[in-house]
């Protein structure tokens, strides 16, 4: 196969059919802007869920019989657990200060004594901060002698787990739907461009050109168009994020910022869309 000829024919489409090429590139760009917005929203929602998970904590209340040194030893042992991000020992005095900060009065002045127990607060790593993992950890940690009770916000965790499942199903479904719609849209657009070259394809078949030889320039042309569309979508998405940062800074602050990875994903996705669109389109005319 003559590589120089294939490349020359691939780029010649940009000159011969400028309008259809422009339409194909714009179609890819618009489709990828939608995918890019969807990707940023999905990552932003996932980041919020991870932030919530990172704040989930479980508190173990200790018996009066447990000494401070023993309690610190238990906290250090918990901190070495692979699921634990942070383990903090809270003495009776520290618990009294927390009470004063939250309620504005000293508990000793209210009750005449400090009945608050010493405890250990544990923050799990986000990937372990699910209801099942936390309950499993709580059961295991509660086996330590001197631990009376473990408390955590079960309702919050249940809600986070439920929302995470809904987010996964929603994003997966919308992602597949947008991808399929994008492939169909790009394929139809490129099909119109290739339709204008059907006579060239028939002539090449008559002179004995192989299917791969005929197909390759169109595939590469679709690949290049998709890559340009992906680059254009990256620029458009950057401009959209810039406008959002200036017009609605509160919303912009809650979103995942654009990165080189987003741009690379959009360019690769555009190349894939152009390649698939060309493949499905040119096959119709080659098989005629």
């Amino acid at each position: 196969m003559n590589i120089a000829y294939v490349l020359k024919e691939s780029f010649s489409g940009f000159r011969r059919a400028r309008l259809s090429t422009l339409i194909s590139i714009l179609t890819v760009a618009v489709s990828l802007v939608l995918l890019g917005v969807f990707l940023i929203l999905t990552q932003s929602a996932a980041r919020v869920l991870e932030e919530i998970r990172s704040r989930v904590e479980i508190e173990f209340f200790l018996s009066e019989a447990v000494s401070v040194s023993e309690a610190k030893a238990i906290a250090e042992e918990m901190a070495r657990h692979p699921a634990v991000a942070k383990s903090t020992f809270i003495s009776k005095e520290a618990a009294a200060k927390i009470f004063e900060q939250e309620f504005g009065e000293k508990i000793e002045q209210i009750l005449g004594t400090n009945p608050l127990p010493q405890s250990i607060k544990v923050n799990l790593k986000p990937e372990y901060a699910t209801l099942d993992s936390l309950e499993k950890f709580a059961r295991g940690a509660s086996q330590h002698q001197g631990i009376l009770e473990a408390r955590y916000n079960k309702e919050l965790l249940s809600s986070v787990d439920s929302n995470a499942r809904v987010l996964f199903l929603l994003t997966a479904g919308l992602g597949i739907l947008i991808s399929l719609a994008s492939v169909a849209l790009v394929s139809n657009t490129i099909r119109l461009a290739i339709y204008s070259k059907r006579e060239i394809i028939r002539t090449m078949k008559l002179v004995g050109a192989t299917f791969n030889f005929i197909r390759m320039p169109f595939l590469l042309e679709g690949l290049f168009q998709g890559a340009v569309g992906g680059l254009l979508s990256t620029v458009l998405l950057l401009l959209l994020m810039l406008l959002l940062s200036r017009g609605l800074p509160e919303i912009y602050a809650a979103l995942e910022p654009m990165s080189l990875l987003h741009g690379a994903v959009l360019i690769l996705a555009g190349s894939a869309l152009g390649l698939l669109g060309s493949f499905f389109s040119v096959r119709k005319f080659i098989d005629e």
Side-chain angles (χ1 to χ4, degrees):
M1 182 179 294
N2 191 322
I3 302 298
Y5 170 80
V6 170
L7 291 175
K8 179 182 177 182
E9 284 298 306
S10 300
F11 285 106
S12 68
F14 286 81
R15 298 191 307 270
R16 287 199 300 257
R18 294 178 182 177
L19 180 59
S20 61
T21 297
L22 179 61
I23 293 174
S24 298
I25 290 174
L26 290 176
T27 301
V28 172
V30 171
S31 300
L32 290 178
V33 166
L34 292 176
L35 281 173
V37 170
F38 171 76
L39 179 62
I40 289 174
L41 290 176
T42 300
Q43 288 184 314
S44 301
R47 186 183 64 182
V48 171
L49 285 175
E50 185 172 344
E51 177 66 21
I52 293 174
R53 289 188 188 280
S54 67
R55 297 183 181 183
V56 171
E57 63 182 23
I58 178 171
E59 188 166 10
F60 296 94
F61 293 99
L62 306 176
S63 166
E64 293 285 346
V66 178
S67 66
V68 172
S69 60
E70 290 173 335
K72 288 182 177 179
I74 295 174
E76 290 175 359
E77 183 179 346
M78 289 183 179
R80 291 191 291 269
H81 193 283
V84 174
K86 184 180 178 182
S87 176
T88 306
F89 166 66
I90 300 176
S91 64
K92 290 174 65 67
E93 294 76 16
K97 288 181 179 179
I98 294 173
F99 181 92
E100 183 179 357
Q101 290 172 357
E102 292 184 354
F103 298 99
E105 294 186 57
K106 293 183 179 181
I107 193 169
E108 292 90 342
Q109 293 177 347
I110 299 174
L111 301 178
T113 184
N114 179 8
L116 299 175
Q118 53 188 352
S119 63
I120 298 173
K121 280 189 177 182
V122 174
N123 293 88
L124 297 183
K125 296 175 182 177
E127 60 269 28
Y128 290 98
T130 63
L131 185 58
D132 290 341
S133 297
L134 194 144
E135 287 181 338
K136 181 179 179 181
F137 175 80
R139 285 195 301 270
S142 296
Q143 300 301 315
H144 285 95
Q145 188 174 3
I147 292 181
L148 299 177
E149 183 185 3
R151 288 185 184 177
Y152 51 90
N153 195 331
K154 185 174 182 179
E155 291 75 17
L156 174 63
L157 278 173
S158 179
S159 177
V160 170
D161 287 350
S162 177
N163 289 332
R165 285 192 294 269
V166 171
L167 176 64
F168 173 77
L169 293 174
L170 183 63
T171 53
L174 285 177
I176 293 173
L177 184 62
I178 293 176
S179 299
L180 291 177
S182 299
V183 170
L185 190 60
V186 172
S187 178
N188 287 331
T189 303
I190 294 178
R191 182 176 299 172
L192 294 175
I194 295 177
Y195 181 77
S196 63
K197 305 171 187 176
R198 64 190 183 282
E199 296 300 330
I200 298 176
I201 295 175
R202 288 171 182 161
T203 301
M204 294 176 71
K205 289 170 65 176
L206 289 174
V207 298
T210 63
F211 286 174
N212 286 334
F213 186 82
I214 298 171
R215 182 188 293 121
M216 190 57 65
F218 295 106
L219 294 181
L220 289 179
E221 183 178 344
L223 179 69
F224 296 145
Q225 289 179 5
V228 174
L231 183 60
L232 179 59
S233 71
T234 302
V235 174
L236 291 174
L237 200 55
L238 281 171
L239 290 174
L240 180 62
M241 295 294 286
L242 180 61
L243 291 174
L244 193 62
S245 67
R246 293 181 177 180
L248 297 169
E250 299 84 3
I251 296 178
Y252 175 79
L255 297 177
E256 188 77 11
M258 277 283 291
S259 65
L260 291 176
L261 179 60
H262 289 107
V265 168
L266 290 177
I267 293 173
L268 289 174
S271 301
L273 283 176
L275 186 63
L276 285 172
S278 294
F279 175 79
F280 291 124
S281 300
V282 77
R283 186 176 60 176
K284 176 182 183 297
F285 298 105
I286 293 179
D287 293 341
E288 284 182 347

